[in-house]
Amino acid sequence: MPEGPEIWRTADSLSYALNDKPITGLHFAFDTLKEFEAELKGKQVENVEARGKAILTFFEGDRVMYSHNQLYGKWMLRENGKQPDTNRKLRVAIHNKDHSAYLYSASQIEMLRPEEVPEHSYIKKLGPDVLHPDTSYEAILDQYRGEAFQNRKLTTLLLDQGFVSGIGNYLRSEIMFYAGVDPHNKLRDYSADEKEALASATVKLSRRSYETGGVTNDPSIVEALKREGAGRRDQRFFVYKRTDNRCHKCGAVIREEKTGGRKIYYCPDCQLEE
């Protein structure tokens, strides 16, 4: 499932293609949304934003489309009404004179009023979105300090969208590595300095991944690896999916463990206490 940086980049692409251009045609596959095809034709998309792992499309006329890709949903953009060559099932299509946006395979699509957005069953449970322009480092640090989360295991907590929204499996391992913390503890077991390091890593790596298209590794390390001829897969991460490879920072062998049905990756020398 895409994580916050990928969802925000998708929202940016949709905004570029759709914002402030009259809609020339719409298609909704679900019968419950058919009535909006005529209502919204000729109006404009005013904005597209991410909320956790969902996307909100704001239409002129106080309509907001909520969509969540789940595991298989995918937005695709094309010019001049061309349709992608895919076997996926089309759920939504939005056309203007320059571009067409197609949403395939998504199962959760709803039309809301703006005032209904904060009370949507998914959105109201979200923690602060680490990539939202209004989210500060202090807001993320407050989550790490919050009493409600102290008895939670860090590896589980980082995937809880009610804690900090937008974090998924690759960011989880990368954040713990960058903060230099042992991944096996509950939140209460970390010092104040470690919680500050976790908050800083959460913000820095999420935003770095957004800006780079999915790269969390330090730019200096990436450049060195490029000079050595390493491919993108080897350049991209500190530890995620680098089992049995050497840590870029200390040279120790990266380990993996399964927790809660999903793998975490860590460096024993950089993260585990003696």
Side-chain angles (χ1 to χ4, degrees):
M1 183 184 291
E3 301 184 23
E6 291 73 39
I7 299 296
W8 273 97
R9 287 173 70 89
T10 296
D12 289 348
S13 296
L14 291 170
S15 291
Y16 171 79
L18 300 177
N19 282 12
D20 304 322
K21 299 174 184 178
I23 295 168
T24 57
L26 289 101
H27 166 76
F28 293 106
F30 299 135
D31 290 341
T32 54
L33 300 176
K34 283 291 185 184
E35 63 182 286
F36 298 106
E37 292 177 349
E39 177 183 329
L40 296 175
K41 186 176 181 179
K43 296 184 178 179
Q44 298 181 359
V45 172
E46 296 181 332
N47 197 25
V48 184
E49 294 183 4
R51 288 289 189 279
K53 297 183 181 181
I55 285 182
L56 299 174
T57 305
F58 293 82
F59 294 94
E60 180 185 5
D62 288 337
R63 296 289 187 185
V64 184
M65 185 177 73
Y66 166 92
S67 60
H68 196 302
N69 287 3
Q70 300 287 44
L71 288 175
Y72 304 110
K74 185 177 180 64
W75 281 97
M76 298 184 190
L77 288 170
R78 294 293 186 272
E79 295 182 354
N80 302 320
K82 295 178 181 178
Q83 190 159 344
D85 182 12
T86 176
N87 292 324
R88 294 171 177 265
K89 292 187 179 297
L90 181 64
R91 303 303 192 192
V92 178
I94 306 171
H95 307 281
N96 59 43
K97 65 181 181 65
D98 298 316
H99 296 94
S100 293
Y102 301 95
L103 176 57
Y104 290 96
S105 304
S107 57
Q108 292 189 351
I109 305 167
E110 303 171 42
M111 198 67 72
L112 309 171
R113 293 287 186 182
E115 61 271 17
E116 295 174 325
V117 171
E119 294 305 312
H120 185 275
S121 58
Y122 173 78
I123 292 172
K124 71 180 181 180
K125 295 178 182 178
L126 293 175
D129 187 327
V130 66
L131 288 169
H132 194 283
D134 294 337
T135 300
S136 64
Y137 161 76
E138 288 75 18
I140 301 301
L141 180 58
D142 284 346
Q143 294 297 93
Y144 280 101
R145 290 173 171 168
E147 286 299 322
F149 304 110
Q150 296 306 308
N151 287 325
R152 301 280 301 279
K153 190 175 179 181
L154 182 62
T155 51
T156 304
L157 186 61
L158 285 174
L159 296 184
D160 184 345
Q161 299 303 293
F163 175 61
V164 174
S165 64
I167 297 174
N169 212 33
Y170 81 77
L171 279 173
R172 171 174 70 162
S173 289
E174 296 291 281
I175 287 166
M176 291 188 293
F177 171 82
Y178 198 79
V181 301
D182 188 326
H184 301 99
N185 298 334
K186 291 185 177 181
L187 189 55
R188 69 184 180 204
D189 299 322
Y190 298 103
S191 68
D193 287 346
E194 287 175 321
K195 290 175 183 176
E196 290 178 7
L198 282 163
S200 178
T202 299
V203 173
K204 185 168 187 175
L205 295 192
S206 298
R207 294 180 180 175
R208 178 184 287 173
S209 182
Y210 164 73
E211 291 165 0
T212 60
V215 178
T216 52
N217 207 348
D218 279 343
S220 60
I221 296 174
V222 172
E223 289 304 313
L225 290 169
K226 285 181 180 178
R227 290 194 296 271
E228 294 171 4
R232 175 180 164 83
R233 183 174 181 178
D234 295 323
Q235 301 167 20
R236 186 176 174 187
F237 298 120
F238 290 109
V239 292
Y240 181 71
K241 286 192 174 180
R242 297 195 63 244
T243 309
D244 296 332
N245 287 297
R246 296 285 178 178
C247 175
H248 295 309
K249 292 198 170 183
C250 75
V253 176
I254 301 299
R255 297 178 184 173
E256 71 173 56
E257 288 181 14
K258 185 168 283 189
T259 175
R262 302 178 75 178
K263 291 179 179 179
I264 59 166
Y265 304 82
Y266 62 93
C267 171
D269 284 9
C270 292
Q271 294 177 256
L272 301 187
E273 296 181 1
E274 294 290 338

